[in-house]
Amino acid sequence: MLLTGAGGQLGRALAEEFAGDGVVALTRAAWDVTLPPPPGLEAGSLVLHAAAWTDVDGAEDDPQGTAAVNVGGTANVAALGVPLVYYSTDYVFDGRKREPYVESDGPNPQSSYGRSKLHGEAVAGEQAWIVRSSWLFGATGHNFVRTMLRLAAERDEVSVVDDQRGSPTYVGHLAAATRQVVHLPYGVYHVAAEGEASWADFAEAIFEEAGLDTRVRRIATAELDPPRKAVRPAYSVLRSEKGAPELPHWRAGLRECLAGIRAAGERE
Ligand SMILES: NC(=O)c1ccc[n+]([C@@H]2O[C@H](COP(=O)([O-])OP(=O)(O)OC[C@H]3O[C@@H](n4cnc5c(N)ncnc54)[C@H](OP(=O)(O)O)[C@@H]3O)[C@@H](O)[C@H]2O)c1
């Protein structure tokens, strides 16, 4: 089994989940997926493709660079000719619905990142599970939980948008669910945490669970100064109508993530 993007937050969780299954975990240094695979690479029987360009605002400035990774890179992985899991995103939807998006809903990405991920789905090939998830967070890497904890150390109040709703999903739960996904027929599956929240709700929960008294000022996306370059969906809760594995509630994921961050801090 091969894993791409092993240095990312989901990649690390997958490397941990599949450590006992002989997974070969490749960071960008081991395989830059915009290039053909390194000579002698054994594809094995399954590829978990977690490498991606994930800088959503940066993608607006460099759509071609984004596509090189998310589309060209996925085509290179598919060319290995073995079944693959391609991780995709809620940002393939425009966010105009007010009830959860299911697999049969039509995508309509509003950002360069969202378009590249949708195009990546199309080049993943016939032998692929397309796993769409949302608002990923884990104990390592760049994510909202770690950003909020850093800001809480600097200020008493943090302004957070309250008009975007989604399902914050813990990477450990998504990695564990991947085991079940690969027993389903190939196709698109929505795999995100139970429950929903706005970013402001999520920030409040982070401070509460971490025992911090930092306040959250709820703002509208339009109030962000400077504005973000990429448009995000106002609503992007994902649910499955196809029997995809159900994940624990995002708040349970948050507790596990914070426990992981604390344990890492104690080891340092
Ligand atoms: N983050 C989210 O909220 C979210 C939501 C839904 C779906 N997803 C999807 O879930 C997957 C994992 O995301 P994540 O949050 O774990 O992202 P991440 O932490 O940014 O990890 C992505 C990894 O891909 C690597 N990478 C970038 N370009 C590469 C290239 N050309 N060749 C090889 N590796 C490359 C990055 O390496 P460097 O660190 O060296 O750049 C990084 O280690 C992605 O497919 C993403 O689109 C993410």
Side-chain angles (χ1 to χ4, degrees), residues 15-253:
E16 206 171 298
E17 174 67 33
F18 290 93
D21 301 81
V23 68
V24 176
L26 302 170
T27 61
R28 186 208 283 250
W31 183 16
D32 176 338
V33 296
T34 61
L35 305 171
L41 184 74
E42 298 272 351
S45 57
L46 177 68
V47 185
L48 306 176
H49 179 36
W53 176 303
T54 57
D55 176 357
V56 177
D57 292 306
E60 297 299 313
D61 290 330
D62 189 1
Q64 285 179 336
T66 307
V69 182
N70 293 352
V71 186
T74 303
N76 285 337
V77 172
L80 293 170
V82 296
L84 81 97
V85 180
Y86 171 80
Y87 294 94
S88 191
T89 169
D90 53 327
Y91 285 12
V92 300
F93 294 112
D94 60 23
R96 295 198 183 108
K97 264 184 102 176
R98 286 297 172 270
E99 59 188 56
Y101 282 93
V102 291
E103 289 90 344
S104 59
D105 283 318
N108 182 24
Q110 300 295 301
S111 63
S112 174
Y113 167 74
R115 282 187 290 276
S116 74
K117 291 296 297 184
L118 183 61
H119 198 166
E121 292 184 3
V123 302
E126 299 290 309
Q127 304 182 89
W129 297 272
I130 309 292
V131 176
R132 293 192 188 132
S133 195
S134 61
W135 295 24
L136 297 186
F137 63 94
T140 61
H142 300 288
N143 63 62
F144 186 78
V145 175
R146 285 166 48 90
T147 301
M148 287 301 119
L149 293 176
R150 180 171 46 76
L151 291 177
E154 296 164 4
R155 19 184 130 149
D156 298 331
E157 185 177 82
V158 182
S159 297
V160 187
V161 297
D162 196 28
D163 56 0
Q164 293 171 28
R165 296 188 73 75
S167 304
T169 301
Y170 176 53
V171 287
H173 291 162
L174 181 57
T178 297
R179 268 189 195 284
Q180 292 160 260
V181 169
V182 297
H183 294 292
L184 297 169
Y186 297 126
V188 177
Y189 295 96
H190 288 184
V191 186
E194 181 59 37
E196 61 175 79
S198 71
W199 289 111
D201 296 334
F202 191 25
E204 271 185 355
I206 293 165
F207 299 145
E208 199 179 301
E209 294 288 349
L212 301 167
D213 44 16
T214 314
R215 292 183 306 278
V216 172
R217 193 168 84 83
R218 292 173 181 260
I219 61 167
T221 303
E223 289 176 72
L224 282 173
D225 186 21
R228 311 288 288 275
K229 285 191 172 166
V231 175
R232 271 95 171 151
Y235 181 92
S236 60
V237 176
L238 301 178
R239 289 289 166 258
S240 180
E241 60 184 356
K242 291 172 66 179
E246 288 179 9
L247 266 48
H249 195 275
W250 60 265
R251 195 136 186 154

Side-chain angles (χ1 to χ4, degrees), residues 3-15 24-28 48 50-51:
L3 166 64
T4 68
Q9 52 172 350
L10 177 60
R12 282 178 185 230
L14 288 165
V24 176
L26 302 170
T27 61
R28 186 208 283 250
L48 306 176

